Amino acid sequence: MAGDSAPGTPAAGQPAGPGFSHRQILVTMSGLVIAMLLAMLDNMIVAPALPTIVGDLGGLNHLAWVATGYVLASTVATPIWGKLGDLYGRRIVFVAAVALFLLGSALCGMSQDMAQLIGFRALQGLGAGGLMVGVLSIIGEMIPPRDRSKYQGVMMAVMPVAMIGGPLIGGFITDNLSWRWAFYVNLPLGAVTLILCWITLAKLPKGTGKAVIDWWGTALLTVWITSLVLITSWGGTQYDWDSPQILGLAALAVAGFVAFVIVQRRAVEPIMPLRVFKSLNFTLSGAIAFISGFAMFGAIGFLPQFQQFVQGASATNSGLLLMPMMIAAMVVSLGGGALISKTGHYKSLPIIGSVLITAGLALFATMALDTTTTMSALYMVVLGAGMGAIMQTSTLIAQNSIDLRDMGAGTGVSTFLRNMGSSLGISLLGAVYTSQLADSLADAGPAAQNVAASAASMTPQALRALPEAAQHLFQQAVTDGVTALFTWGAAVTAVGIVLAFFIRQVPLRSTAAPAASPDAEPVAAGR
């Protein structure tokens, strides 16, 4: 039975970490909140502008790469930025990431053709990869785990602002200014972040200055992640799953991953240190982050299809209809953070969160043509509560399980797993949706032949112009597709419930840096 404090806990009155006062933390948090907002808001603002961008620049067949290039670059860059922060210090690396993101944003706004936009979106994504991991790593270095939860809970409040405000801002900018301002809007916010963080982060450790860059690890990481994202992006759409292109990418992904693991075991300063996985809690929290990201964001990404095609909501209103989920996530996150800070107990939150997410997805899997917006809003509250219980808690558990020297790399790995889960969930559950929709229309027989022919380019406006019988066929097909992907999502998150029970209640440190190795975790009460 472990004691009341974790290894490395300082004596009473001893300063923790770099010694930030509460006021300094709040000032610094203002800059970090803006950086988090930039990272979450960008895609939400850009999405409503995409039809206008295509009309201006052309290149409809390359439209998917505007998002894919950004996601791919940010996913690859996440663990790299985390490791650079460990080597060079959080302040300079985080400021560099913000600056790169702003440079990419400015260049995106000046793009003259689709090829330029895709390239500059990738550059923007490289910077974005450092924003999220930078924010979480800085919080991890500034604030002891026992107090960290209440500050990380505040960061969760950024999500509803991004999810709800992003489409509204993007639509307003596109309608009243120019699509280019969907990118330029990042510049003033980013400038404030740069100034605040440069001033307030001066007390953070500056790093050794003797970095050994893991170039082979970086290259191999890029190879296998790129291959995996391309498989999920192209499989079943541009190429058949058993085509030479997809099979070749699968072979490259496996070979790249195996080579990456071998290089990481031998590297002096690995970009993704495998030692962090020696901690059972770190591994379990990472797996839960991956699973929840896969199911949640993959499923949520297609919920507007049902809202717009079946329930008749507009694009703007479908964003507002997500408000019950975001408010529930924010309330539970803030409440959970306060509870962890007060009691130090966190084991129950991943379990409760996994159960609620699975229940929410299962409820969505029961939707039918007559499901009302009120009923779907109740389902969103359940799903949002689960999100709020898991998202910050999984990061907290991961950070409490690693040494300070691995804070950036470990946080990067945790964020990377969540991002990978989200990317794969969007791709694979999207394939489930489109396949089920097509099968449903095919099963409807000749009556749905004309609808099936135009399904790929169907819009809510075009649907309303069809005869009532054709509308019903397509709406039923959308319902079948959405319920199928929610069913698969619930099945995946059910695995997370099992994993959550194996998380150990290791006492949260009251100092920012542990003195013991993470593989020496004590078994505490509540295991």
Side-chain angles (χ1 to χ4, degrees), residues 8-376:
T9 301
Q14 180 181 340
F20 284 84
S21 67
H22 178 66
R23 180 178 178 278
Q24 289 172 323
I25 289 174
L26 291 180
V27 173
T28 305
M29 285 285 290
S30 62
L32 298 181
V33 165
I34 297 175
M36 185 74 83
L37 185 62
L38 287 173
M40 292 186 174
L41 200 61
D42 188 73
N43 270 333
M44 299 294 177
I45 290 180
V46 172
L50 286 178
T52 305
I53 291 173
V54 172
D56 190 8
L57 300 181
L60 178 61
N61 55 327
H62 300 303
L63 177 61
W65 279 99
V66 175
T68 301
Y70 180 90
V71 171
L72 178 59
S74 61
T75 301
V76 169
T78 295
I80 297 173
W81 283 113
K83 186 60 181 179
L84 289 176
D86 290 337
L87 296 175
Y88 290 110
R90 312 282 171 224
R91 182 195 190 202
I92 188 65
V93 170
F94 182 67
V95 168
V98 175
L100 185 61
F101 177 83
L102 296 181
L103 175 62
S105 298
L107 292 174
C108 284
M110 294 186 285
S111 298
Q112 299 302 308
D113 56 47
M114 190 63 77
Q116 287 185 12
L117 180 60
I118 292 171
F120 294 145
R121 279 286 280 170
L123 180 65
Q124 190 186 28
L126 289 176
L131 296 184
M132 185 76 77
V133 68
V135 168
L136 296 176
S137 297
I138 290 169
I139 292 175
E141 193 157 313
M142 287 172 53
I143 309 167
R146 183 65 183 257
D147 299 323
R148 194 177 302 156
S149 55
K150 59 186 178 185
Y151 292 102
Q152 287 181 335
V154 173
M155 303 306 293
M156 276 294 297
V158 174
M159 183 178 288
V161 174
M163 293 287 289
I164 298 169
L168 298 177
I169 296 172
F172 177 84
I173 288 174
T174 304
D175 292 338
N176 297 281
L177 298 172
S178 163
W179 64 264
R180 299 181 186 276
W181 278 97
F183 299 103
Y184 292 151
V185 72
N186 293 327
L187 301 182
L189 291 174
V192 173
T193 301
L194 282 175
I195 295 171
L196 282 175
C197 290
W198 184 257
I199 294 172
T200 59
L201 298 179
K203 293 178 67 175
L204 288 177
K206 303 212 170 24
T208 63
K210 300 177 181 178
V212 178
I213 304 299
D214 179 16
W215 295 114
W216 278 109
T218 301
L220 289 169
L221 178 71
T222 303
V223 167
W224 73 263
I225 291 178
T226 301
S227 301
L228 195 58
V229 172
L230 290 178
I231 289 170
T232 56
S233 298
W234 289 348
T237 53
Q238 288 188 252
Y239 304 103
D240 292 332
W241 286 105
D242 59 351
S243 66
Q245 293 87 347
I246 298 301
L247 294 178
L249 284 171
L252 183 60
V254 172
F257 177 76
V258 171
F260 174 74
V261 172
I262 293 173
V263 167
Q264 293 306 281
R265 292 175 66 91
R266 299 177 178 177
V268 177
E269 287 288 354
I271 201 71
M272 189 182 291
L274 301 182
R275 59 179 173 266
V276 298
F277 291 102
K278 291 181 179 179
S279 166
L280 177 63
N281 270 11
F282 182 92
T283 303
L284 289 173
S285 66
I288 291 171
F290 178 90
I291 290 171
S292 61
F294 179 96
M296 269 189 321
F297 292 101
I300 292 170
F302 291 90
L303 185 57
Q305 298 286 319
F306 183 84
Q307 292 172 327
Q308 294 183 37
F309 283 116
V310 180
Q311 294 182 327
S314 66
T316 301
N317 286 339
S318 67
L320 292 175
L321 288 174
L322 295 174
M323 189 179 296
M325 179 173 60
M326 294 298 104
I327 292 176
M330 180 177 63
V331 170
V332 173
S333 178
L334 291 172
L339 179 65
I340 293 173
S341 181
K342 181 178 180 179
T343 66
H345 184 83
Y346 56 80
K347 178 177 178 176
S348 59
L349 287 178
I351 298 174
I352 295 171
S354 297
V355 170
L356 288 175
I357 289 176
T358 303
L361 294 174
L363 288 171
F364 276 118
T366 66
M367 291 193 303
L369 289 176
D370 58 352
T371 299
T372 64
T373 55
T374 300
M375 189 63 65
S376 57

Side-chain angles (χ1 to χ4, degrees), residues 285-295 414 416-418 420-422 424:
S285 66
I288 291 171
F290 178 90
I291 290 171
S292 61
F294 179 96
S414 179
F416 164 79
L417 290 171
R418 181 179 288 113
M420 281 299 295
S422 302
L424 295 179

